[in-house]
Amino acid sequence: MSERIYENDLRLPALYLISMRNGNINTSELSNMLRDILKPSGDDLEILANRSDDYFSQIVRNLTASKRPFVKNGFIARDSKSGSPLFITEKGHLYLREHRLELKYLLTNDFEYNDIKDNLKKIEKGERKVETFDENIIISEGMKRVTEVAMYERSKKLRDYAIQYFTVDNRISCNCCTFNFSDFYGSELGAGFIEIHHTKPIFTYADEDIKNTLEVAVKNLTPVCSNCHRMIHRNWSKPLEIQHLIDNVNKFGVFSRFSK
């Protein structure tokens, strides 16, 4: 069982959300947004004695209090007026930029709360450099900026390894709707094409063997077609669970152009 979440574990997602609102956010709004994207569960939803708040809400309130480390150490600030919006300091912006790729990856996939929480702890410890893989860089953005080339290359290695792993009898199909690119577009265009969805976060330490990482990571991936992948991530703060999408496909899914 994962341990409870603590103030330090929320620093990065809090900075991420405050930056999205350009500093125009108060503690209550921040708490609601953090709850929306992290979807806390278990002991973190325990109602505090003689309070209407649960543990998660209290931790967010503590995080933004003026005498707590997040504020005292200069990551965020607010005007002296009571209830004024939070804003990020230069130190906060720098810290966010250092971890933006890992954070974006964690918060825009349909990972379970404990998986997000455990990996936030890993990032915050900072004992060893953490590296991540993100299929969406290749598929949706094609980003190959200088600062992200290494991540692009890691993601491509994982994608190629996963395609080989999931291909059976020279076929690889969507795990949600069974769509096969080769059948639809012909083998010349569609053979071996698929997108790879991460069901659990995949991180590695910079000094670890990539081969061992791939062998473990492939167990937390699933092949999906472009449509299903986009449906999963249609709402960035509330990605669809794969089984929910499969249930909808089974109930409603018809390729009308070819239906009899």
Side-chain angles (χ1 to χ4, degrees), residues 11 26 73 80 112 131 142 168 178-179 183 186 189 197 223 239 249:
R11 292 194 305 181
N26 59 38
N73 293 337
S80 58
E112 294 181 357
E131 297 180 335
V168 178
T178 73
F179 183 86
D183 289 346
L189 289 177
H197 176 66
V249 169

Side-chain angles (χ1 to χ4, degrees), residues 227-245:
N227 280 349
C228 287
H229 209 183
R230 289 301 155 272
M231 290 303 297
I232 290 170
H233 296 289
R234 182 177 181 180
N235 184 335
W236 76 269
S237 66
K238 293 183 179 180
L240 286 178
E241 295 181 1
I242 285 182
Q243 189 56 54
H244 179 65
L245 182 59

Side-chain angles (χ1 to χ4, degrees), residues 190-205:
F193 185 83
I194 202 74
E195 296 189 14
I196 304 298
H197 176 66
H198 296 208
T199 56
K200 284 183 176 292
I202 299 172
F203 284 106
T204 186
Y205 290 109

Side-chain angles (χ1 to χ4, degrees), residues 89-127:
T89 64
E90 184 56 36
K91 180 177 180 180
H93 279 297
L94 177 61
Y95 188 66
L96 180 59
R97 285 196 295 270
E98 288 175 350
H99 299 288
R100 67 183 182 85
L101 294 178
E102 301 99 309
L103 192 61
K104 179 181 177 183
Y105 171 65
L106 277 180
L107 300 184
T108 58
N109 285 278
D110 61 331
F111 300 137
E112 294 181 357
Y113 177 57
N114 284 338
D115 289 328
I116 297 175
K117 181 166 61 173
D118 291 347
N119 281 281
L120 283 172
K121 292 177 185 293
K122 182 186 295 186
I123 295 169
E124 286 284 359
K125 281 183 179 179
E127 297 171 351

Side-chain angles (χ1 to χ4, degrees), residues 208-221:
E208 286 183 341
D209 182 5
I210 187 67
K211 184 176 184 296
N212 292 335
T213 298
L214 296 180
E215 291 174 351
V216 174
V218 75
K219 299 173 183 177
N220 296 317
L221 304 172

Side-chain angles (χ1 to χ4, degrees), residues 3-256:
E3 60 180 290
R4 277 184 155 171
I5 202 163
Y6 298 103
E7 290 175 45
N8 279 357
D9 307 323
L10 290 178
R11 292 194 305 181
L12 280 169
L15 288 172
Y16 183 74
L17 293 173
I18 296 170
S19 70
M20 287 180 60
R21 293 282 293 270
N22 296 317
N24 188 23
I25 184 173
N26 59 38
T27 300
S28 295
E29 292 170 331
L30 178 62
S31 180
N32 290 335
M33 291 177 73
L34 284 168
R35 187 182 297 274
D36 195 31
I37 64 170
L38 297 179
K39 298 176 282 291
S41 62
D43 292 343
D44 289 329
L45 292 180
E46 178 184 328
I47 301 297
L48 301 176
N50 302 316
R51 299 283 297 276
S52 59
D53 286 341
D54 59 23
Y55 180 83
F56 186 84
S57 294
Q58 185 60 53
I59 287 298
V60 178
R61 186 173 290 110
N62 291 346
L63 178 75
T64 61
S66 60
K67 296 182 179 181
R68 306 296 284 194
F70 196 42
V71 179
K72 288 184 67 176
N73 293 337
F75 289 95
I76 62 170
R78 59 161 34 108
D79 294 332
S80 58
K81 183 180 178 182
S82 176
S84 59
L86 302 163
F87 62 89
I88 305 177
T89 64
E90 184 56 36
K91 180 177 180 180
H93 279 297
L94 177 61
Y95 188 66
L96 180 59
R97 285 196 295 270
E98 288 175 350
H99 299 288
R100 67 183 182 85
L101 294 178
E102 301 99 309
L103 192 61
K104 179 181 177 183
Y105 171 65
L106 277 180
L107 300 184
T108 58
N109 285 278
D110 61 331
F111 300 137
E112 294 181 357
Y113 177 57
N114 284 338
D115 289 328
I116 297 175
K117 181 166 61 173
D118 291 347
N119 281 281
L120 283 172
K121 292 177 185 293
K122 182 186 295 186
I123 295 169
E124 286 284 359
K125 281 183 179 179
E127 297 171 351
R128 298 163 68 190
K129 183 180 178 181
V130 174
E131 297 180 335
T132 190
F133 304 76
D134 192 352
E135 167 76 358
N136 288 320
I137 284 182
I138 298 173
I139 299 300
S140 64
E141 300 178 30
M143 292 191 302
K144 298 182 69 172
R145 299 170 188 163
V146 173
T147 57
E148 295 165 8
V149 166
M151 184 175 176
Y152 183 97
E153 294 300 330
R154 284 196 305 274
S155 300
K156 187 176 186 306
K157 285 180 181 179
L158 179 59
R159 169 180 166 76
D160 292 345
Y161 187 89
I163 288 176
Q164 182 180 16
Y165 180 87
F166 288 111
T167 296
V168 178
D169 295 330
N170 294 317
R171 291 178 59 82
I172 185 168
S173 302
C174 176
N175 194 50
C176 295
C177 72
T178 73
F179 183 86
N180 182 280
F181 284 89
S182 184
D183 289 346
F184 194 85
Y185 294 105
S187 59
E188 182 179 351
L189 289 177
F193 185 83
I194 202 74
E195 296 189 14
I196 304 298
H197 176 66
H198 296 208
T199 56
K200 284 183 176 292
I202 299 172
F203 284 106
T204 186
Y205 290 109
D207 55 354
E208 286 183 341
D209 182 5
I210 187 67
K211 184 176 184 296
N212 292 335
T213 298
L214 296 180
E215 291 174 351
V216 174
V218 75
K219 299 173 183 177
N220 296 317
L221 304 172
T222 189
V224 291
C225 71
S226 306
N227 280 349
C228 287
H229 209 183
R230 289 301 155 272
M231 290 303 297
I232 290 170
H233 296 289
R234 182 177 181 180
N235 184 335
W236 76 269
S237 66
K238 293 183 179 180
L240 286 178
E241 295 181 1
I242 285 182
Q243 189 56 54
H244 179 65
L245 182 59
I246 291 174
D247 290 343
N248 274 43
V249 169
N250 289 337
K251 184 176 181 180
F252 302 109
V254 175
F255 292 104
S256 59

